[in-house]
Amino acid sequence: MQSPTQTLAEGLRLPTNGLDYAILAIYFAVVLGIGFAARRSVRTSLDFFLSGRSLPAWVTGLAFVAANLGATEILGMAATGAQYGVAVVHWYWIGAIPAMVFLGLVMMPFYYRSKVRSVPEFLLQRFDRSAHLLSSALFAFAAILIAGVNLYALSIVVEALLGWPQWVAIVVAGLFVLAYITIGGLSSAIYNEVLQFFVILAALIPICVIGLKKAGGWDGLSGSIEKQHGGDFLTAWGGTGIGDANPLGANWLTIILGLGFVLSFGYWTTNFAEVQRALSAKNLSAARRTPLIAAFPKIFIVFLVMIPGLVAAVLVPKIGTAGSDLTYNDAIPYLMQELLPNGVLGIAVTGLLAAFMAGMAANVSSFNTVFTYDIWAKYVVKGREDGYYLNFGRLITAIGVLASIGTAFIASSFSNIMGYLQTLFSFFNVPMFVVFVIGMFWKRASVKSGVWGLVAGTTAAMLNYFWIYQQGVIDIPTDQGANFVSAITGFVAGAVVMVVVTLFTAPKPEAELAGLVYGTASPGLEDAGDEDAAAGDDAWYRKPALLGWGAVVLAAACYLPYSF
């Protein structure tokens, strides 16, 4: 882990001019304009927190992928490419696509038909209040930590752009995001995320094209990488045999189980920052297609972050090392400084700021929903009129942003913010996933098994990371490898404890599980067909099964050029 002082402030400054600032100013004006336009549609708390469940699938699908495509994704995955090489594709093709498809095909019907307003609320219906309260608290805490990561990532760019001290950049950026979320609620966040998706693409594509040209094309880049880092740096599975050494410090088993199953499914199926976008869709068909539509751009986005990371690894061989002022997080800003002309630089800076706002807005909007509905309205101030909770939602949004400003400084102590994020996911998302998957597919899982599964999974993952890994009880080569092991440990511990507790405690009456467990139907579902259908939903190209399996096959095919 490197010192937070080893950042852009020590020499990396973007050569911006008036044209770049003009592009940036236009973008900020548009973002605020969308916020004020969205405000007209916010009349109830459901409008503020879930857009009144009225949005079409293409909007929620692009917002779904944009919410994930935050600054942490761009800076963090480029950092991962610079640090570990082509192995970064695992976070997309095995670490995202199967779980996104599972969410769309299997889990969204449970979420949407149960009419829950948040992911923890589902646990209240399936288990009990203790599981609900603990999962709400864990999720709210994790959302603030992750929003802080986005704030820190933005501060890197603003520090390079304006030369502001890091703390000033964090505070100013946080207040701007607070403004447009508070004004327009989730609708403002989602419509801005659609805009941000295209702005992000416009920022990353020139970096990739010019960076490849600077490195001598793909052949020149791969030749330099092989010479500097070895052949395994250019393959996804090279050196991943059990006991073999590879840049990632993980073998095929921990990659498949730790990342491909536990971390991936834990994030994509239970992270409310993502699921909230699907819950805002206008009907069940649109909600199911939301993550499936998002899966297709997700497959190819990896190239837009992997290539800059590889280029940075060649152009700055000492990046991330103890003797360099540049951390892995600086890969993208360094290439922006060195390669992009003015005008294009302004678009790139705007794209990174857009990415930050998408990521932070997703976490803040999910935080305010969970805190308002699942903690405040359920346990603190009950039974008030809807307007009270709408106003409280705006207040807690401000508190959440202020808390994120504080957690941003925690993220600044990590040289690879994506590694830090994976650590958080193994602590918070994985235990929630094991409780969800067992609760959804096992009727016998008892009422009390939910809360004890959460406690056991979170505790086991933290013990593995802070004691077994950091104290050297077992030799795990890298932080990422340790995260995979923590995820597996948390999942197994949570599952075992749920089974044991179930054997000694009472199950929920089967009549109360209707629509919550696989194989049961929601009450009144036989009359819901017309409600769930919309014109054109039965078209062949909108079939969820076709979209889902098509994405899985395409992702698997993408592995072939990087497997040997």
Side-chain angles (χ1 to χ4, degrees), residues 165-245:
Q166 189 177 96
W167 71 270
V168 175
I170 288 173
V171 170
V172 171
L175 293 178
F176 184 84
V177 173
L178 171 63
Y180 84 79
I181 297 179
T182 305
I183 291 170
L186 183 63
S187 293
S188 174
I190 285 180
Y191 281 112
N192 269 308
E193 285 160 3
V194 173
L195 168 66
Q196 288 155 357
F197 174 76
F198 294 104
V199 174
I200 292 166
L201 294 185
L204 292 177
I205 290 173
I207 297 175
C208 292
V209 172
I210 300 173
L212 273 177
K213 184 177 180 181
K214 179 77 171 181
W218 179 256
D219 290 338
L221 176 63
S222 57
S224 299
I225 286 176
E226 188 166 1
K227 183 178 179 181
Q228 295 176 16
H229 299 278
D232 286 344
F233 211 76
L234 289 170
T235 67
W237 298 103
T240 60
I242 296 177
D244 292 343

Side-chain angles (χ1 to χ4, degrees), residues 106 110 439-443 513 515-520:
V106 178
F110 290 99
M440 277 187 174
F441 290 94
W442 190 27
K443 292 180 183 179
L513 299 178
L516 302 174
V517 180
Y518 193 76
T520 65

Side-chain angles (χ1 to χ4, degrees), residues 77-242:
M77 282 304 179
T80 301
Q83 187 172 3
Y84 302 118
V86 170
V88 70
V89 301
H90 293 311
W91 274 266
Y92 292 78
W93 300 338
I94 196 173
I97 302 305
M100 294 168 74
V101 171
F102 183 81
L103 172 63
L105 296 183
V106 178
M107 294 187 72
M108 278 315 303
F110 290 99
Y111 283 139
Y112 202 87
R113 284 172 175 159
S114 63
K115 303 297 183 183
V116 296
R117 296 164 296 185
S118 70
V119 168
E121 191 175 2
F122 185 88
L123 291 184
L124 175 63
Q125 295 187 16
R126 175 58 183 88
F127 294 101
D128 62 1
R129 290 167 65 90
S130 56
H132 172 250
L133 180 58
L134 179 58
S135 64
S136 300
L138 289 174
F139 177 82
F141 182 60
I144 292 301
L145 288 173
I146 296 170
V149 179
N150 280 278
L151 260 179
Y152 166 63
L154 177 73
S155 74
I156 294 177
V157 180
V158 174
E159 189 178 14
L161 176 65
L162 300 175
W164 292 358
Q166 189 177 96
W167 71 270
V168 175
I170 288 173
V171 170
V172 171
L175 293 178
F176 184 84
V177 173
L178 171 63
Y180 84 79
I181 297 179
T182 305
I183 291 170
L186 183 63
S187 293
S188 174
I190 285 180
Y191 281 112
N192 269 308
E193 285 160 3
V194 173
L195 168 66
Q196 288 155 357
F197 174 76
F198 294 104
V199 174
I200 292 166
L201 294 185
L204 292 177
I205 290 173
I207 297 175
C208 292
V209 172
I210 300 173
L212 273 177
K213 184 177 180 181
K214 179 77 171 181
W218 179 256
D219 290 338
L221 176 63
S222 57
S224 299
I225 286 176
E226 188 166 1
K227 183 178 179 181
Q228 295 176 16
H229 299 278
D232 286 344
F233 211 76
L234 289 170
T235 67
W237 298 103
T240 60
I242 296 177

Side-chain angles (χ1 to χ4, degrees), residues 178-343:
L178 171 63
Y180 84 79
I181 297 179
T182 305
I183 291 170
L186 183 63
S187 293
S188 174
I190 285 180
Y191 281 112
N192 269 308
E193 285 160 3
V194 173
L195 168 66
Q196 288 155 357
F197 174 76
F198 294 104
V199 174
I200 292 166
L201 294 185
L204 292 177
I205 290 173
I207 297 175
C208 292
V209 172
I210 300 173
L212 273 177
K213 184 177 180 181
K214 179 77 171 181
W218 179 256
D219 290 338
L221 176 63
S222 57
S224 299
I225 286 176
E226 188 166 1
K227 183 178 179 181
Q228 295 176 16
H229 299 278
D232 286 344
F233 211 76
L234 289 170
T235 67
W237 298 103
T240 60
I242 296 177
D244 292 343
N246 65 84
L248 190 58
N251 59 53
W252 64 268
L253 184 63
T254 55
I255 291 172
I256 293 174
L257 292 181
L259 175 61
F261 176 58
V262 182
L263 273 173
S264 171
F265 279 68
Y267 174 80
W268 290 103
T269 64
T270 67
N271 181 26
F272 188 49
E274 300 293 336
V275 175
Q276 187 181 30
R277 273 76 194 140
L279 287 178
S280 67
K282 63 182 180 180
N283 56 31
L284 176 59
S285 175
R288 296 186 72 191
R289 282 183 280 125
T290 293
L292 305 179
I293 290 171
F296 288 91
K298 183 70 176 176
I299 291 172
F300 298 103
I301 284 170
V302 63
F303 296 107
L304 299 183
V305 292
M306 178 181 73
I307 290 173
L310 296 177
V311 171
V314 168
L315 297 184
V316 193
K318 293 184 178 180
I319 188 171
T321 64
S324 174
D325 289 339
L326 296 176
T327 70
Y328 292 113
N329 295 327
D330 296 331
I332 289 275
Y334 173 82
L335 296 182
M336 290 167 57
Q337 179 204 45
E338 295 296 313
L339 303 179
L340 299 185
N342 292 111

Side-chain angles (χ1 to χ4, degrees), residues 188-551:
S188 174
I190 285 180
Y191 281 112
N192 269 308
E193 285 160 3
V194 173
L195 168 66
Q196 288 155 357
F197 174 76
F198 294 104
V199 174
I200 292 166
L201 294 185
L204 292 177
I205 290 173
I207 297 175
C208 292
V209 172
I210 300 173
L212 273 177
K213 184 177 180 181
K214 179 77 171 181
W218 179 256
D219 290 338
L221 176 63
S222 57
S224 299
I225 286 176
E226 188 166 1
K227 183 178 179 181
Q228 295 176 16
H229 299 278
D232 286 344
F233 211 76
L234 289 170
T235 67
W237 298 103
T240 60
I242 296 177
D244 292 343
N246 65 84
L248 190 58
N251 59 53
W252 64 268
L253 184 63
T254 55
I255 291 172
I256 293 174
L257 292 181
L259 175 61
F261 176 58
V262 182
L263 273 173
S264 171
F265 279 68
Y267 174 80
W268 290 103
T269 64
T270 67
N271 181 26
F272 188 49
E274 300 293 336
V275 175
Q276 187 181 30
R277 273 76 194 140
L279 287 178
S280 67
K282 63 182 180 180
N283 56 31
L284 176 59
S285 175
R288 296 186 72 191
R289 282 183 280 125
T290 293
L292 305 179
I293 290 171
F296 288 91
K298 183 70 176 176
I299 291 172
F300 298 103
I301 284 170
V302 63
F303 296 107
L304 299 183
V305 292
M306 178 181 73
I307 290 173
L310 296 177
V311 171
V314 168
L315 297 184
V316 193
K318 293 184 178 180
I319 188 171
T321 64
S324 174
D325 289 339
L326 296 176
T327 70
Y328 292 113
N329 295 327
D330 296 331
I332 289 275
Y334 173 82
L335 296 182
M336 290 167 57
Q337 179 204 45
E338 295 296 313
L339 303 179
L340 299 185
N342 292 111
V344 177
L345 179 61
I347 295 174
V349 170
T350 302
L352 282 188
L353 297 185
F356 147 76
M357 289 188 291
M360 185 179 179
N363 283 284
V364 170
S365 60
S366 60
F367 164 79
N368 64 23
T369 303
V370 168
F371 198 95
T372 302
Y373 279 147
D374 294 287
I375 296 178
W376 195 259
K378 192 72 67 178
Y379 300 102
V380 183
V381 179
K382 308 174 185 178
R384 295 290 293 272
E385 67 280 2
D386 186 74
Y388 170 84
Y389 296 113
L390 173 60
N391 292 329
F392 180 81
R394 290 194 166 105
L395 172 64
I396 200 64
T397 299
I399 295 173
V401 170
L402 293 176
S404 300
I405 291 173
T407 62
F409 294 98
I410 299 175
S412 68
S413 65
F414 287 77
S415 67
N416 185 337
I417 52 178
M418 188 50 65
Y420 173 53
L421 275 181
Q422 297 294 318
T423 302
L424 296 180
F425 295 154
S426 70
F427 292 170
F428 300 111
N429 291 86
V430 168
M432 197 174 296
F433 170 63
V434 68
V435 174
F436 264 84
V437 75
I438 290 179
M440 277 187 174
F441 290 94
W442 190 27
K443 292 180 183 179
R444 177 66 179 83
S446 71
V447 171
K448 292 300 179 185
S449 67
V451 66
W452 288 110
L454 285 172
V455 170
T458 302
T459 302
M462 289 183 172
L463 281 175
N464 178 79
Y465 189 84
F466 291 116
W467 179 48
I468 294 178
Y469 167 57
Q470 291 200 337
Q471 300 302 317
V473 176
I474 295 177
D475 183 27
I476 304 176
T478 65
D479 282 353
Q480 291 290 10
N483 290 335
F484 298 161
V485 176
S486 294
I488 296 171
T489 303
F491 184 88
V492 172
V496 169
V497 167
M498 286 190 72
V499 172
V500 171
V501 171
T502 293
L503 296 178
F504 294 95
T505 54
K508 203 163 191 173
E510 190 164 334
E512 297 180 19
L513 299 178
L516 302 174
V517 180
Y518 193 76
T520 65
S522 299
L525 184 59
E526 62 276 5
D527 300 323
D530 293 336
E531 177 187 343
D532 287 339
D537 280 352
D538 57 350
W540 66 270
Y541 56 86
R542 291 186 177 181
K543 297 290 185 183
L546 176 64
L547 291 171
W549 287 108

